[in-house]
């Protein structure tokens, strides 16, 4: 069965027509890191172990961790592999959240319970917390997550939207009972590159690597990731810009009568009178948004990426 996701702009085009769509359904930075010309060898040669080590050194600095780690074909690859590390048992997922966690666990034979509070997770063989959470932006104190890791078999903390809020990260504490996932494509705006990371203890990382195979990341992704993760000036400027633009989006939504539910530096989720109707209203302006099958009122918007996109969204909401 097809799982519900953002980014399905093909469906929007099929339903509403047009080609000039602004896709705000994903929470991906629409002002991406500028990719330079790459050495020809990254396209023509198999990815090397040295290139992988160089990327992981840059990732360790960017994510402030010395824990063993592995680059993968997006954080999604880790989400699909992690349920295969242990014999299936009871998994608890703090919900609502990114639906691939529960779906991949169920596909691997786990019994999955959705929990509303951190206090409901202890006792699980595996627990999943997305911090900050997608789509409601809930944040959890790192100290509480470290405490939680001692009361479950394995705690998976998905930090895919934590780049602009590094104080939330527990990547420095990743180990045998704590696996931390990081995404590259969202904050750096290069989701098509398909690059993500897992951090844990050396044994866990070795097992994930064995399942992922000999070339889990392409040569261009290794090189672009290495360069981008080392660009601290770009990352700092981007975090500062996003901190200003989130409230700007909130002001537009409030003027339209929408109420902020929560969000991160890269997206906002609003309570609206009717989410499907609001999505259709934006779609008539060729702006695609995200709605959720479990809520008739929640609508998520990423941040526009240019003055023209901001003007078009303002017009659509006016």
């Amino acid at each position: 069965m097809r799982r519900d996701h953002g980014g399905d702009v093909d469906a929007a085009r099929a339903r509403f027509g047009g080609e000039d769509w602004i896709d705000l359904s994903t929470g991906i930075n629409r002002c991406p890191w500028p990719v330079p010309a790459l050495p020809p060898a990254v396209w023509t040669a198999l990815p090397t172990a040295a290139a992988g080590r160089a990327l992981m050194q840059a990732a360790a600095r960017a994510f402030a961790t010395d824990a063993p780690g592995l680059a993968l074909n997006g954080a999604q690859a880790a989400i699909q592999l992690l349920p295969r590390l242990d014999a299936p048992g009871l998994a608890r997922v703090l919900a609502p959240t990114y639906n691939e966690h529960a779906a991949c666990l169920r596909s691997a034979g786990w019994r999955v319970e959705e929990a509303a509070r951190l206090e409901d997770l202890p006792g699980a063989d595996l627990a999943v917390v997305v911090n900050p959470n997608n789509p409601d932006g809930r944040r959890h104190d790192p100290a509480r997550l470290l405490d939680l890791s001692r009361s479950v078999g394995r705690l998976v903390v998905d930090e895919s939207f934590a780049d602009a809020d590094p104080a939330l990260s527990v990547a420095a504490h990743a180990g045998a009972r704590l696996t931390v996932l990081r995404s590259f494509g969202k904050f750096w705006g290069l989701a098509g590159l398909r690059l993500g990371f897992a951090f844990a203890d050396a044994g866990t990382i070795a097992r994930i690597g064995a399942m992922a195979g000999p070339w889990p990341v392409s040569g261009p992704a290794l090189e672009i990731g290495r360069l981008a993760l080392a660009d601290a000036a770009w990352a700092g400027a981007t975090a500062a810009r996003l901190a200003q633009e989130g409230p700007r989006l909130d002001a537009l939504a409030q003027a339209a009568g929408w109420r902020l539910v929560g969000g991160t530096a890269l997206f906002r989720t609003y309570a609206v009178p009717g989410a499907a109707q609001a999505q259709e209203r934006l779609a008539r302006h060729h702006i695609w948004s995200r709605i959720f099958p479990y809520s008739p009122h929640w609508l998520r918007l990423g941040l526009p990426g240019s003055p023209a996109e901001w003007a078009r969204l303002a017009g659509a909401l006016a």
Side-chain angles (χ1 to χ4, degrees):
M1 185 177 78
R2 181 181 180 276
R3 296 199 277 263
D4 179 66
H5 293 292
D8 54 342
V9 74
D10 286 345
R13 289 191 184 102
R15 181 178 173 190
F16 297 99
E19 295 295 328
D20 58 334
W21 282 82
I22 303 171
D23 187 4
L24 303 183
S25 69
T26 64
I28 294 167
N29 183 2
R30 291 185 64 81
C31 298
W33 183 77
V35 178
L38 301 178
V42 305
W43 300 101
T44 59
L46 285 172
T48 65
R53 288 192 295 270
L55 170 63
M56 290 312 302
Q57 288 169 0
R61 288 191 296 269
F63 303 141
T65 181
D66 293 325
L70 177 70
L72 293 160
N73 181 30
Q76 177 65 34
I79 293 169
Q80 293 176 210
L81 292 173
L82 284 171
R84 297 166 52 191
L85 285 175
D86 305 303
L90 171 63
R92 291 181 176 141
V93 178
L94 193 65
T97 195
Y98 180 54
N99 61 22
E100 285 293 325
H101 286 287
C104 290
L105 285 161
R106 289 190 178 102
S107 293
W110 288 77
R111 179 165 59 92
V112 178
E113 296 178 354
E114 294 190 345
R117 307 175 305 156
L118 284 181
E119 294 83 357
D120 299 325
L121 298 178
D125 300 301
L126 185 149
V128 178
V129 177
V130 179
N131 192 39
N133 190 47
N134 173 19
D136 62 8
R138 279 183 296 173
R139 287 159 168 76
H140 303 283
D141 183 89
R144 294 190 66 196
L145 295 178
L146 295 178
D147 286 343
L148 176 62
S149 71
R150 293 185 277 270
S151 62
V152 298
R154 181 190 302 276
L155 175 62
V156 177
V157 179
D158 183 344
E159 297 182 348
S160 289
F161 285 99
D163 296 286
D165 200 352
L168 285 179
S169 179
V170 292
H173 304 280
R177 299 181 71 165
L178 174 62
T179 300
V180 177
L181 309 184
R182 297 294 295 236
S183 173
F184 174 82
K186 296 176 179 65
F187 180 77
W188 279 269
L190 299 171
L193 201 66
R194 306 310 306 136
L195 179 61
F197 302 90
F199 296 94
D201 64 293
T204 296
I205 292 301
R207 292 169 62 202
I208 296 173
M211 289 189 289
W215 301 291
V217 177
S218 71
L222 291 173
E223 180 68 1
I224 292 169
R226 179 185 71 84
L227 294 171
L229 287 168
D231 193 346
W234 182 91
T238 296
R241 173 181 60 81
L242 293 171
Q244 293 179 338
E245 292 184 347
R248 179 182 178 185
L249 183 58
D250 293 340
L252 289 176
Q254 184 179 12
W258 297 359
R259 178 179 59 82
L260 178 66
V261 173
T264 71
L266 287 168
F267 67 80
R268 291 292 200 269
T269 297
Y270 301 103
V272 302
Q277 293 81 5
Q279 184 184 57
E280 183 171 341
R281 171 184 170 187
L282 292 172
R284 289 197 294 268
H285 296 263
H286 292 173
I287 298 169
W288 197 227
S289 57
R290 176 81 157 92
I291 60 176
F292 303 91
Y294 51 78
S295 173
H297 299 295
W298 282 14
L299 181 143
R300 191 186 68 193
L301 283 177
L303 275 63
S306 69
E309 290 186 358
W310 278 101
R312 198 154 120 200
L313 179 61
L317 290 174

